[in-house]
Amino acid sequence: SIMKEGHLYDPFSRNIDEPASNLVPTFNNLIGRTDFVRILGGMLAKLEQAYGHPVDTEFTAHVDNKGAVRINLLQCRPLWLPGTTGRVQIPANIPAGRLLFKSDRFISGGEVGNVRYILYIDPRWYAAIPDADTKKMLGRLVGRLNNLPLIEAGKVLMIGPGRWGTSNIDLGINVGYADIDNAAVLVELAREEAGHVPEVSYGTHFFQDLVEQQIIYLPVYPDDEDCAFNDTFFQSSPNCLKELLPDAEKFESVVKVIDVPAAAAGAHARVIADPESRRAACFLE
């Protein structure tokens, strides 16, 4: 497209007599003057019909000199959409002592009850680790906990600093999908004082794996006025890490595993995430 005097114009010819500084890449002519949208829409409709479910695709497109479009489908897999399992509703007036956290950021929807375990890594503890080797080892420790039969059977909520799955260990826990695939809920906790303000993982292959497995993903910002985080509960609850993995005692100052019924007089944790209101809450019940 051509930018002139603050206005954008779409050329009707390939022969454009304009300086390069006036040219702006857009999709205007691709969408308006080719069959790209029609072809892509038909392809998606056929795939959704065949799979019986919306799909996530990756493709390339080529437009020849006559404007003919060819689309090459590279990847395709079912896409579970937040909220498709039915409407969820967050209870009103949850007592402050039973509320563990709430969030109003971009989230995936759903509901999970009877959560027995919470794996908690405080961003402040993580930021205080002096050496990179210890930080790298935490990802493997999370993977070992993830694969314990007790954790898998009892449902686990994982809360960690910054961005799960990042290759930059200063920004979050370096895990692969196989290290967290038994989590019912995955929370990315951002505390500004620790420097862990996560970028939302939407669009990444890591996030698509979470979506496909129907793992609820929630970014939580404790420093925001509209959010909440029950720091007292997470700090004061006993740590059962050593009981689950006796050889992991040296990590007790960084990694906490909370047996929720033992810490909360028999209560379990429930997470409700409403994609319509874009609100989520975790509470004891």
Side-chain angles (χ1 to χ4, degrees):
S1 299
I2 302 168
M3 180 68 74
K4 276 190 175 181
E5 299 178 354
H7 296 281
L8 200 64
Y9 301 90
D10 297 325
F12 291 95
S13 169
R14 288 179 177 268
N15 299 317
I16 304 174
D17 185 19
E18 292 286 340
S21 59
N22 289 353
L23 303 182
V24 181
T26 71
F27 288 109
N28 293 1
N29 279 330
L30 175 68
I31 293 172
R33 299 181 61 196
T34 74
D35 288 332
F36 172 76
V37 172
R38 180 186 62 79
I39 296 171
L40 188 64
M43 182 185 78
L44 290 173
K46 288 182 179 179
L47 290 169
E48 181 172 349
Q49 183 179 16
Y51 277 90
H53 211 282
V55 293
D56 169 50
T57 66
E58 189 172 315
F59 65 89
T60 64
H62 174 75
V63 184
D64 67 18
N65 290 333
K66 296 180 180 180
V69 179
R70 182 179 69 194
I71 294 178
N72 298 311
L73 181 64
L74 305 181
Q75 291 188 22
C76 177
R77 61 179 173 182
L79 178 64
W80 176 77
L81 296 177
T84 54
T85 54
R87 181 170 176 79
V88 296
Q89 187 170 0
I90 300 172
N93 303 318
I94 301 172
R98 302 189 73 80
L99 180 67
L100 299 186
F101 63 78
K102 67 177 182 178
S103 174
D104 63 354
R105 295 293 183 117
F106 295 95
I107 58 173
S108 57
E111 183 173 2
V112 176
N114 294 318
V115 175
R116 177 177 177 181
Y117 293 103
I118 297 177
L119 189 158
Y120 175 58
I121 302 175
D122 190 306
R124 296 164 295 195
W125 304 341
Y126 186 78
I129 297 174
D131 61 291
D133 289 339
T134 301
K135 288 184 176 180
K136 290 178 181 178
M137 292 173 66
L138 289 184
R140 311 294 73 76
L141 177 61
V142 169
R144 291 177 61 199
L145 288 165
N146 174 75
N147 292 314
L148 289 176
L150 272 176
I151 293 289
E152 184 176 357
K155 292 185 185 177
V156 60
L157 184 159
M158 296 187 181
I159 304 175
R163 190 168 183 171
W164 287 97
T166 179
S167 58
N168 186 338
I169 57 173
D170 291 325
L171 300 180
I173 308 297
N174 178 223
V175 293
Y177 177 66
D179 295 317
I180 53 87
D181 63 346
N182 286 322
V185 183
L186 195 67
V187 174
E188 296 185 344
L189 191 64
R191 286 191 179 275
E192 293 183 7
E193 62 188 280
H196 295 119
V197 181
E199 297 179 17
V200 181
S201 299
Y202 292 156
T204 65
H205 284 290
F206 186 81
F207 177 71
Q208 293 300 337
D209 287 333
L210 304 183
V211 169
E212 190 172 334
Q213 191 66 20
Q214 300 188 25
I215 297 173
I216 296 176
Y217 158 80
L218 299 172
V220 175
Y221 295 72
D223 300 315
D224 280 8
E225 293 182 0
D226 295 330
C227 294
F229 190 78
N230 191 337
D231 208 45
T232 301
F233 174 83
F234 290 101
Q235 296 294 338
S236 63
S237 296
N239 189 355
C240 66
L241 173 65
K242 187 170 62 174
E243 299 171 17
L244 295 171
L245 293 176
D247 62 336
E249 182 177 1
K250 63 180 179 180
F251 293 103
E252 281 188 308
S253 62
V254 180
V255 179
K256 175 176 278 191
V257 181
I258 301 171
D259 186 339
V260 179
H268 286 72
R270 176 175 290 273
V271 174
I272 300 178
D274 180 5
E276 291 189 13
S277 66
R278 297 173 73 175
R279 294 167 51 246
C282 175
F283 54 94
L284 299 171
E285 66 171 9

